[in-house]
Structure formats: structure tokens, C-alpha cells
Amino acid sequence: MSRNGKKDESDVEFLGFALGDCTVDIDHASAKYLRVVHGTALELAVHNQFGAEIGGFWLLSSQISQLRRLPEYYSPDEAPLVEFAVEAYLAAQIREFNLIGRY
């Protein structure tokens, strides 16, 4: 809370992360969708978003939102498996990004 009694709002906004090699913890049923999830993430990602010095393929929050819509293009039986694959992929990418930032 600020001095005037209003809730403080952070100026920090999540922008995204660079895609990298990572290990995805996933069940067998959803594993077959990882290839399409990774391919879609690469298609959505912006190459060298912050210049060649930083490089890489960056998945920004708007692209993450688009990736999370991928299950909509699958049958009702497959959609939950695709959704799990997307979330597991994003969690692994963020976990890897956090590990890199510590070194």
C-alpha cells in the first residue's frame, strides 16, 4: 500500500523470453504434441527482437497468448492434451530461462 492508502502497482511488465533448449516434463499422451507446440512457438517467435547482440527467438506475451490458443484447432478429445503440452513447454522454457539468468 502506498501512503495515500491505494494499492501500489508495479511498473514491471512481463515481456517474454528467448526460446532455448530445455527438458519438458510431460506425460506420454501429450508428448506427441510437443513437436507441433515447439514448431508453432518458433513460427510465432520474433528473431533478434532486442538486436543481434542478444539474439535468439523471443516469445513475447502476445505470442504466448497465441500459442495458448493452439488447442482450439484440435478435436475436443485432443485439445486437453495439446493444452497440457503447451503449458508444459512454456513452464520448461521459463524454468530454463530462470536458470540461465542465475549464472
Side-chain angles (χ1 to χ4, degrees):
M1 291 282 219
S2 65
R3 291 182 194 188
N4 63 8
K6 293 184 179 181
K7 184 178 176 182
D8 287 333
E9 292 188 27
S10 175
D11 289 337
V12 177
E13 181 179 335
F14 176 75
L15 288 178
F17 51 85
L19 295 176
D21 293 336
C22 62
T23 301
V24 179
D25 298 322
I26 196 164
D27 61 30
H28 182 70
S30 294
K32 71 179 193 175
Y33 299 102
L34 275 178
R35 184 179 301 261
V36 73
V37 169
H38 178 65
T40 303
L42 284 172
E43 287 179 19
L44 292 170
V46 179
H47 188 245
N48 292 339
Q49 172 67 35
F50 301 104
E53 299 82 31
I54 297 176
F57 289 89
W58 287 80
L59 202 60
L60 306 178
S61 50
S62 61
Q63 286 91 17
I64 292 169
S65 295
Q66 287 179 303
L67 184 61
R68 284 185 165 140
R69 294 185 62 204
L70 187 61
E72 295 174 15
Y73 299 95
Y74 285 84
S75 72
D77 293 338
E78 292 180 297
L81 299 172
V82 176
E83 181 178 4
F84 185 79
V86 168
E87 294 305 323
Y89 178 81
L90 291 172
Q93 288 289 335
I94 290 172
R95 187 171 49 250
E96 186 66 25
F97 183 75
N98 284 335
L99 289 175
I100 292 170
R102 292 182 186 176
Y103 298 104

